[in-house]
Amino acid sequence: MIETEKIIEAILIGDDDKVKVLTLEEINKGERAGEIMREGLIAGMTKVGEQMEAEEMFIPEVLMSARAMSAGVEVLKPHLKTEDAAVRGKVVIGTVEGDLHDIGKNLVKMLIEGAGFEVIDLGTNVEKDRFIKAVQENNADILGMSALLTTTMPSMQVIIEALKKAGIRDQVKIIVGGAPVTEEYAQEIGADAYGPDAGSAVRVINSIL
Amino acid sequence: MAYIRSNQQSFNSPHAAKMSEGQCQRLYWACLEILERTGVCLYNQEAIDLLDKAGASVTDGNRVRIPAGMVEKAFSTVPKNVALYNRNGQRKIQAGGHRSYFGTGSDCLNIIDHRTGERRLAVLQDIVDGMKVCDALDNIDFVMCMFLPSDVPQDILDRYEMEAMLNHTIKPIFYVTTEFAGCKAAVEMAEIVAGGADALRHYPFAACYINVTTGLRHNEEALQKLLFLSEKGLPFTYIPSAQGGVTAPITIAGTMAVNNAGVLAGLVISQLKREGTPFIMPGWGGNMLDMKTTVQPYADPEKRSQAIDFSHFLGLPTFSLGGCSESKMVDQQAAAEAALTLFTDALFGGNLVHDVGYLESGMSGSLPQLVICDEVISWIEAFMHEVVITDETLALDLIDEVGPDGQYLDNPHTMKHFRDRWYPNLFERSNYDSWQKKGGKDLGTRATDVVEKIVNEHEPERLPDDIAKAVHEVVLKEL
Ligand code: B12
């Protein structure tokens, strides 16, 4: 029996040493790494996500928890079988062309990293071709785009159209966000999902994968 | 008998400060240290070259370290006051010192429609209505466009905003443009209205609101705008937005140091480009990110006042921030946050207090909220009056004449002075029955009535037809 409660608790309080010790103990007990990952670490981060969405946790605390989770993953890595890969997926993220707002995008990035994804951050003012190239080269599972200006929002649609043209639209799930972006707009431009804030971004990404 | 009274006219009026001179001095030194030691990253070659030539150190292509002496020199040429005129060339604003003026904010995506109470995307007509309301309200001294027009071509929406402001109010304008080209177009329009570049420089009635990525990273467009406007000698704000806990230390002092290092870097570049260029610094400091909601709060109590103190220490005019709220609607929170932020900015002496009428952290705006703020500003103005202690106001002869049993209601002295006292326009003082007779309306409803009346009846002074046409041609140029 994995002592999931203890691991979850350690993740919630962001104690990376404790998470490492607890994970190691489970391995030594002979528990399967994939299960420790799912029932302990990921379950812990899911709880963190819930608490954050309920505005019960502060961002720095969430990031501490994410760090604690990564510490656990490091311990598990050598023991993980290929089917329960340490990385849950690859995410390419960036703020669209003409837009320099990156505070929200950076928050989203840190939280999905914390949830166990590998994130390739293209930064701000990212033009169409760089998005497409990054999706192709990294064989990304998810493309995240951020826009904070009504004037730059339309580039998200342009990029989705370009992905279609390149014949790779179906290989990647697209999630969009940023203050002026809405659920309806996301649907209108043919994105797969919309995240109103960093807290929901992780949950939404999990739900579309 | 000689009438000798020492120090007679020395009135005191309300004022406040959060920071001592010593604290300001330390903050200033901190900014200078950051500029010399850490430096700033500039994404514009001309700005880098200007600093390089003047003695700054340039490494890695765009990392610029600015010696303190260059900052000190800039202070000897920058004006301590920025004057703004109205569209008709009348001097209306003298920003600097402890003088406060009030104006709207720009670019709210949504409007809380006063007719329906619903939140919807804003359109060009909302800017037109907004400008009419600003034009009519006594205590709104300058305008920003308030709303983002969703029904015009989006890549040139800033041209439409500028045109609507020029057409529907004569009050001084602060324009915002996403890109450099929009800034040039706005200046072109303003020059047409002023009657040429020289006329606009001598009687500036429009100034640019420039935002900068963070204190230590200055984006290309911000620097392009700064250089262009400096060359023309036109006023602008230079406002980096270092965010505590994200792009600067979470502490107020740390965020202020990073942000104002950026302000000083901009100041130096502007004065190198053209000595005497009017320069306006931010009047708020210590921006935070709400670590629970991830919103950047506009009405945050802790980011107020210290930047105003610092601006007085530096001797620069401020673009200040008040009359705004995080509330999603015109409600009790909106009124409370608007009133408190207006009050503190006026009390500390912020100069150009903008964002009046903002709701939802700048995502929506409301005309009734603006009307409520106008009343609050009127209240604050009355509060800020000094108490006049003179023979006339003490009225000792009168007191003696009337005696303990008399009354003052029909006395000429009362007739002469009762209008000196403040009366509300919008705030309700009637007794219960009279209030009910007037419809028993709450503040929001009364403010909505005022908006309706202004929008339907107020006719702002129009631009001459040929000028309006020439302005419109600038808008259409990019289509
Ligand atoms: C801070 C700020 C800036 C800073 C940005 C600093 C930086 N490094 O990012 C500076 C000062 C540089 C700036 C500049 C400008 N800004 Co600005 N800015 C803001 C402000 C006040 C807050 C934005 C912010 O950081 N919020 C905090 C973060 C955490 O929230 P967020 O970005 O919304 O992100 C959250 C969600 O949206 C979501 N999310 C975001 N991205 C993604 C992506 C995915 C995939 C997902 C799932 C979720 C997601 O999760 C995030 C975390 O919860 C907003 C007002 C507002 N209420 O949003 C205006 C605002 C966005 N800016 C505005 C304007 C006009 C400008 C300028 C044009 C002004 C100028 N001319 O100088 C420039 C444009 C520069 C450019 N080319 O991009 C307008 C936008 C108007 C419009 N056209 O749509 C706004 C709304 C303010 C206003 N009403 O005037 N700005």
Side-chain angles (χ1 to χ4, degrees), chain B residues 319-360:
Chain B
F319 207 59
S320 218
L321 178 73
C324 43
S325 171
E326 264 60 64
S327 182
K328 320 302 168 242
M329 57 195 290
V330 184
D331 65 353
Q332 293 85 343
Q333 179 184 340
E337 285 183 330
L340 288 165
T341 53
L342 287 167
F343 182 66
T344 45
D345 271 37
L347 191 61
F348 281 72
N351 302 140
L352 297 152
V353 183
H354 86 302
D355 282 352
V356 177
Y358 256 25
L359 296 174
E360 200 197 326

Side-chain angles (χ1 to χ4, degrees), chain B residues 31-103:
Chain B
C31 296
L32 295 181
E33 177 169 339
I34 290 172
L35 287 178
E36 279 187 349
R37 186 173 145 194
T38 311
V40 289
C41 275
L42 304 180
Y43 291 85
N44 176 281
Q45 198 53 46
E46 188 189 350
I48 297 169
D49 292 343
L50 274 175
L51 288 163
D52 192 11
K53 239 177 54 205
S57 122
V58 181
T59 56
D60 306 317
N62 73 344
R63 182 86 171 261
V64 185
R65 293 182 172 80
I66 304 173
M70 286 172 66
V71 179
E72 298 279 321
K73 183 163 178 238
F75 275 110
S76 66
T77 56
V78 68
K80 290 186 162 47
N81 286 293
V82 172
L84 286 173
Y85 293 73
N86 70 10
R87 209 181 65 193
N88 294 339
Q90 291 161 318
R91 199 175 171 102
K92 286 293 175 184
I93 288 178
Q94 182 75 27
H98 287 254
R99 291 178 290 269
S100 298
Y101 304 89
F102 300 86

Side-chain angles (χ1 to χ4, degrees), chain B residues 250-317:
Chain B
I250 185 78
T251 46
I252 288 169
T255 310
M256 287 280 288
V258 167
N259 214 48
N260 285 292
V263 170
L264 296 181
L267 172 72
V268 171
I269 301 166
S270 73
Q271 300 306 304
L272 286 175
K273 182 69 185 177
R274 185 176 171 285
E275 288 186 356
T277 292
F279 184 96
I280 305 168
M281 69 175 278
W284 67 98
N287 267 347
M288 72 179 293
L289 183 73
D290 181 305
M291 294 290 184
K292 271 186 178 171
T293 61
T294 74
V295 162
Q296 189 197 288
Y298 281 64
D300 172 27
E302 288 178 310
K303 76 178 183 194
R304 328 209 84 75
S305 312
Q306 54 269 16
I308 300 174
D309 290 342
F310 192 49
S311 80
H312 292 144
F313 173 84
L314 294 176
L316 287 176

Side-chain angles (χ1 to χ4, degrees), chain A residues 52 55-60 98 100 102-103 106-107 124 148-152 154 179-181 197-198, chain B residues 109 148 154-157 178-179 213 217 219-221 241 243 246-247 289-294 296 363:
Chain A
M52 185 186 160
E55 297 181 7
E56 281 162 9
M57 257 177 115
F58 291 88
I59 304 277
L100 300 171
D102 65 355
I103 293 168
N106 291 348
L107 271 177
T124 56
L148 263 280
L149 298 169
T150 48
T151 47
T152 58
V181 182
D197 48 46
Chain B
L109 256 82
L148 270 171
Q154 291 298 292
D155 47 338
I156 53 166
L157 64 84
T178 323
E179 281 158 20
T213 320
R217 214 169 70 212
N219 52 309
E220 163 104 83
E221 298 98 69
S241 176
Q243 217 167 18
V246 186
T247 55
L289 183 73
D290 181 305
M291 294 290 184
K292 271 186 178 171
T293 61
T294 74
Q296 189 197 288
M363 295 304 290

